Amino acid sequence: MSDTVETTEIADDRKYRSLWGDVWVQFRHHRGAMIGTVVFFTILIAVAIGPWLWTIDPGYANIRVRNQGMSLAHPFGTDQLGRDMLAQVLQGGRVSIAVGLTAMAIALLLGTLIGVLAGYFRWLDGPLMRLTDLFLALPLLPLLLVIIMLFRDTLRGMFGPETGIFILIVFIIGVTSWMQTARIVRGDVLALKEREFILAANSIGTPSKRVILRHIMPNILSPIMVSATLGIATAIITESALSFLGLGFPSDFPTWGRLLFDGTQYISQAPSRVIWPGLAISLTVLSVNFIGDGLRDALDPRIRGR
Amino acid sequence: MLDENKPRKKPLVQVKNLKMHFPIYRGILKRQVGAIKAVDGISFDIFEGETLGLVGESGCGKSTVGRCVLRLYEVTDGSIDINGTDIATLSGVELRAKRPEMQMIFQDPQASLNPRMTVGSIISEPLDEHMIMTRDEKRERVGELMDAVGLARRFADRYPHEFSGGQRQRIGIARALALNPKFIVCDEPIAALDVSIQAQVVNLLEDLQQKFGLTYLFISHDLSMVRHLATRVAVMYLGRLVELGDAETLYMTPRHPYTQALLSAVPHPDPAQAGNIERIILKGDVPSPANPPPGCTFSTRCPRAQAKCKQDSPKWREIGEGHFAACHFIE
C-alpha cells in the first residue's frame, strides 16, 4: 500500500508554494511574454509621462515646417499643418490605450458573464444565446452611428466633450464586441460542467456560485485570455474607424487611429506619418498578445514547470 | 467479511421504489416523446457498517442509482432515507446541511479532480464549504487525511496531473473522507485502475471502513472484487433489481436466472478447472431502457421465460432469510 508513496519519494524540501509565485516563475520562463511585457510597459510609461518630457504642444501648428520627415527637432516628422508627430503619438497613445483596455474589460466582463450563465444554467442558455445571435446579426456601423447621434450631446453635456465621448466610445465598443467571448466561453463551460469534478463539487454541496468561481473560471482562463488580448487590438482599431468617420473624438484630439487615417492621404509625401502610429498600434497589440500567451501557459499547471 | 453472528444493525440507508426517468425531447417544439427509464422502481436497505455491492452489466443503471442516492439527480419518484431523513424531498439548504454525512468516490480519478487545484485545496474543499476552521487547522486536517489514505503530506502543494492513477484515487478518497461521512457511494472506484493498483485501493477502502465505521454502496462490474469486499450484493438488470442477498449465499447459490448467467461468466482462477464451469450464454442484446419489454424486463433473454413472464412483472419478494429476488419461478 505504501509502495507507491515510497517509490515516488523524491528529495525535495521545497517550502509551501503559492499559486501566483508559481505562475510568476513560469511566466518569466516564457521569452515572448517577457519581451511583450517589457515592450508594453515601455509604451505605457512613454505615453504616461512622455507628454511631460517632450513638451511640444501636440496641437501647436507651425505651417512653415509642415510635412517634414524625421529630424532632430521633430523626431517623428510633422503633419500637413506642421504639428509635431511625436507629441501627437504620445498624446494619442493615452487615449488609444485607455480605450483599448477599458473597452476590452467591458467586453470581457459581459462576454464571460453571459457565456458562463448560458453554459452553466440550462434554462438561461436559450434566451442568452439568442441574445448573442441578435447582437452578432446587428449591422455594427449603422448601429454605432445611431447610438452616437442619439447620445453624444447628452453625454458631452454631462461629462464634458472629451470624457463624454470617451465613455460613449468605450461603452459602444464594449457592448458590441462581447459576443465572440460569450460563445467560446459557453462552449467551454458546457464541456466542463459534465466533468466529474463538477459532480464531486455538487456532492460536497458547493453552491453554484462557488462552483463557477472555483472550478469553472480557472479552467476557462485560456479562451478568456485569448479573447482579452485580441479584444484590445480590436478596440483600438474600432476606435480608429470611428474617429475616421468623424464620430469619435474631435478632430483636433489625436488618437493613434485618427493619426493613422489622417496620414493615409499623405503616405507618399510623408510616410513617417503612417509608420509611427501604425507601429505603435502594432507593437501594443503584439506585446499584449504575447503577454496573454505567456499568462495562459503560466496559469495552466500541466504546462507549468516544463 | 464481517462476522456473521453479529446482530443485524438498523438500516442507515433505506431506498424505496426509486425511479429515475430521463426525459427524451424531440422535434422543433422539444416535446417530451418518452423517457429513458434508467432506474425503474428499486428498493433496498443498507445497514450500518456494511458494504452493499451493486453489480450489473454496463448501462443497467448502477451509476445512476449511486448518483440518485446522493441526490445528484432530481429523482422522478421514490424515497431515499439516509439516517432518518428523506433526502429525495429536501430543499436546497437542508440538503446542503445533510451533504457531509454522505460522500462519493468517483470512477475516473483523472476527471474527478480539478486540474487547476492543488491536492491540498482539493481535499480541503469540503472543509471550506462546511467547517469553520482556521487556515492552520485546515492544513492539519488535510495532513491527517493524506496520512489516512497513504499519501505523503508534502504532496499537498502538487497538482493532480503529477500523480499516478492510484494516487489520484487516494486523493479522491481523502476528499470524500474530509467531513467524516457515515455513508460513501463508491462509483466503480477501481474500474479505471491497473489491476495491481486495484488491490491497494480496495485494501485501503477496507481499512478505512474498519477505522471510521463507514458504510459503503460499492458499485462495480467486477464480480470477484465485489464478492471479496461486499457484505451483501444486489444484482441489477435494466433499471431494476433482480436479486439481493448475502454475498456468500448469492455467489454460492444464485437463484435468479440472470444472476446465474452473470456469475457463470466469472473466470475461474484455476485454469485446470476452468473448463468444468458451465457457462450460461444469454441470447440477444439488452433491450433499450427507453422502451423496456412488458412484464419481466429479463424475459426477452431468459432461458426459463414463459408466456407469463411477458405479461406480469414479477414481484420483489423474500425467498430466503434476507434474500430477495424478482422472478416468477423461484420457490
Side-chain angles (χ1 to χ4, degrees):
Chain A
M1 202 175 97
S2 53
D3 298 355
T4 35
V5 178
E6 274 157 23
T7 49
T8 45
E9 202 94 21
I10 308 159
D12 70 338
D13 298 313
R14 273 180 294 181
K15 295 295 268 178
Y16 176 71
R17 301 184 299 181
S18 81
L19 173 67
W20 293 105
D22 277 5
V23 169
W24 172 237
V25 168
Q26 176 65 20
F27 188 78
R28 272 204 327 236
H29 284 291
H30 196 293
R31 190 174 299 156
M34 284 316 284
I35 296 174
T37 315
V38 170
V39 170
F40 186 64
F41 275 95
T42 314
I43 294 173
L44 268 189
I45 291 164
V47 301
I49 62 169
W52 283 308
L53 299 178
W54 187 255
T55 45
I56 297 180
D57 180 5
Y60 172 71
N62 184 357
I63 206 83
R64 275 172 297 185
V65 292
R66 67 199 163 115
N67 289 336
Q68 280 193 346
M70 287 172 267
S71 66
L72 214 57
H74 304 287
F76 284 11
T78 55
D79 69 2
Q80 81 277 17
L81 297 175
R83 291 177 294 196
D84 181 60
M85 281 302 288
L86 176 59
Q88 291 197 65
V89 168
L90 290 176
Q91 186 69 42
R94 289 182 161 185
V95 183
S96 285
I97 290 180
V99 167
L101 290 177
T102 325
M104 178 272 291
I106 293 176
L108 214 61
L109 213 67
L110 266 177
T112 311
L113 185 74
I114 290 178
V116 167
L117 290 180
Y120 195 79
F121 299 104
R122 209 194 163 99
W123 56 279
L124 278 173
D125 192 14
L128 285 179
M129 284 340 272
R130 294 302 79 73
L131 181 78
T132 310
D133 289 344
L134 183 83
F135 267 87
L136 276 171
L138 282 177
L140 201 59
L141 227 43
L143 179 79
L144 292 180
L145 299 186
V146 172
I147 296 178
I148 289 173
M149 285 305 175
L150 286 177
F151 297 109
R152 180 158 60 178
D153 292 331
T154 28
L155 277 171
R156 272 184 174 173
M158 283 164 73
F159 300 103
E162 273 143 33
T163 324
I165 206 84
F166 177 81
I167 293 174
L168 188 64
I169 285 182
V170 158
F171 177 75
I172 289 173
I173 296 176
V175 161
T176 52
S177 55
W178 54 268
M179 294 83 74
Q180 305 296 343
T181 317
R183 281 192 157 184
I184 296 168
V185 166
R186 170 186 171 263
D188 272 30
V189 172
L190 277 180
L192 211 59
K193 87 171 174 183
E194 298 305 326
R195 298 272 295 276
E196 275 188 338
F197 64 83
I198 303 291
L199 202 66
N202 289 338
S203 81
I204 287 165
T206 311
S208 300
K209 194 181 83 189
R210 283 204 286 277
V211 171
I212 289 172
L213 289 179
R214 191 182 293 151
H215 296 288
I216 305 255
M217 291 303 277
N219 281 293
I220 53 169
L221 224 57
S222 315
I224 294 182
M225 280 297 166
V226 176
S227 293
T229 53
L230 293 176
I232 292 183
T234 324
I236 290 177
I237 289 163
T238 312
E239 185 274 318
S240 315
L242 285 178
S243 300
F244 184 60
L245 289 171
L247 295 164
F249 291 97
S251 52
D252 57 343
F253 192 75
T255 69
W256 285 344
R258 169 125 232 142
L259 294 175
L260 190 63
F261 281 119
D262 285 350
T264 45
Q265 296 168 30
Y266 300 90
I267 194 162
S268 53
Q269 291 158 273
S272 64
R273 286 194 60 187
V274 186
I275 291 170
W276 291 114
L279 199 66
I281 295 179
S282 312
L283 273 180
T284 311
V285 170
L286 205 64
S287 61
V288 171
N289 269 329
F290 271 114
I291 294 174
D293 199 32
L295 211 54
R296 190 191 60 206
D297 286 359
L299 285 169
D300 190 337
R302 282 159 295 188
I303 297 173
R304 204 185 296 151
R306 223 176 256 176
Chain B
M1 49 169 263
L2 292 176
D3 47 341
E4 276 161 23
N5 38 11
K6 200 190 275 181
R8 269 276 137 79
K9 288 178 183 170
K10 66 176 170 81
L12 180 74
V13 180
Q14 277 184 299
V15 176
K16 286 203 186 79
N17 195 29
L18 179 68
K19 282 185 186 166
M20 181 70 230
H21 295 182
F22 294 102
I24 309 169
Y25 297 105
R26 284 278 156 72
I28 313 170
L29 296 174
K30 298 276 175 204
R31 276 184 310 165
Q32 189 179 341
V33 293
I36 303 276
K37 294 174 179 168
V39 179
D40 201 16
I42 71 172
S43 307
F44 60 86
D45 294 345
I46 307 176
F47 297 101
E48 231 175 298
E50 79 165 354
T51 302
L52 179 70
L54 185 58
V55 298
E57 60 198 293
S58 304
C60 72
K62 302 185 298 285
S63 290
T64 311
V65 170
R67 289 174 185 191
C68 286
V69 168
L70 295 187
R71 205 167 150 207
L72 295 174
Y73 294 143
E74 292 302 315
V75 297
T76 313
D77 194 19
S79 70
I80 305 150
D81 263 43
I82 294 185
N83 213 7
T85 321
D86 181 9
I87 63 157
T89 52
L90 282 185
S91 71
V93 183
E94 293 167 317
L95 183 66
R96 194 172 129 75
K98 189 83 181 159
R99 288 274 182 215
E101 286 177 34
M102 47 192 199
Q103 288 292 315
M104 188 157 187
I105 297 170
F106 292 88
Q107 172 173 4
D108 185 348
Q110 163 87 54
S112 65
L113 305 174
N114 185 343
R116 306 249 167 178
M117 282 165 81
T118 60
V119 170
S121 51
I122 288 172
I123 300 175
S124 68
E125 186 183 0
L127 304 174
D128 295 338
E129 288 301 328
H130 292 283
M131 301 278 185
I132 299 157
M133 284 176 145
T134 65
R135 231 182 129 133
D136 290 336
E137 282 170 346
K138 268 184 206 157
R139 275 185 78 78
E140 183 50 34
R141 176 79 181 129
V142 169
E144 281 169 23
L145 288 163
M146 292 180 76
D147 290 345
V149 298
L151 286 168
R153 287 191 183 211
R154 62 199 156 71
F155 291 163
D157 296 329
R158 299 211 183 162
Y159 289 88
H161 73 272
E162 299 173 64
F163 292 88
S164 69
Q167 287 173 316
R168 280 183 209 149
Q169 196 57 289
R170 287 166 196 266
I171 300 169
I173 295 172
R175 172 176 59 188
L177 288 176
L179 294 168
N180 289 320
K182 290 193 174 70
F183 173 53
I184 297 185
V185 173
C186 309
D187 186 3
E188 308 209 24
I190 51 167
L193 302 178
D194 200 74
V195 181
S196 58
I197 313 287
Q198 287 186 355
Q200 289 180 9
V201 171
V202 164
N203 289 340
L204 174 66
L205 287 172
E206 282 184 324
D207 291 347
L208 294 171
Q209 183 169 40
Q210 284 182 354
K211 207 158 143 194
F212 299 114
L214 299 170
T215 306
Y216 291 140
L217 173 61
F218 190 87
I219 301 166
S220 181
H221 51 240
D222 185 336
L223 296 164
S224 317
M225 201 57 102
V226 169
R227 182 178 193 169
H228 168 73
L229 196 65
T231 328
R232 295 187 308 142
V233 176
V235 183
M236 210 172 158
Y237 180 79
L238 206 64
R240 294 188 189 171
L241 286 185
V242 296
E243 193 166 358
L244 189 158
D246 281 335
E248 278 316 300
T249 326
L250 189 119
Y251 274 81
M252 295 308 287
T253 53
R255 304 291 295 277
H256 193 281
Y258 179 66
T259 317
Q260 289 164 357
L262 198 65
L263 291 178
S264 79
V266 178
H268 199 281
D270 184 359
Q273 286 188 9
N276 301 337
I277 309 173
E278 198 187 330
R279 287 260 151 86
I280 305 170
I281 313 281
L282 294 177
K283 301 229 164 24
D285 286 323
V286 185
S288 160
N291 187 20
C296 176
T297 46
F298 188 52
S299 60
T300 52
R301 303 171 73 194
C302 183
R304 279 199 251 160
Q306 289 173 19
K308 187 186 179 191
C309 300
K310 312 250 181 214
Q311 289 152 12
D312 297 339
S313 196
K315 280 211 172 60
W316 178 246
R317 59 202 170 90
E318 193 157 10
I319 53 166
E321 204 200 326
H323 196 154
F324 297 83
C327 181
H328 292 302
F329 303 111
I330 298 174
E331 298 310 313

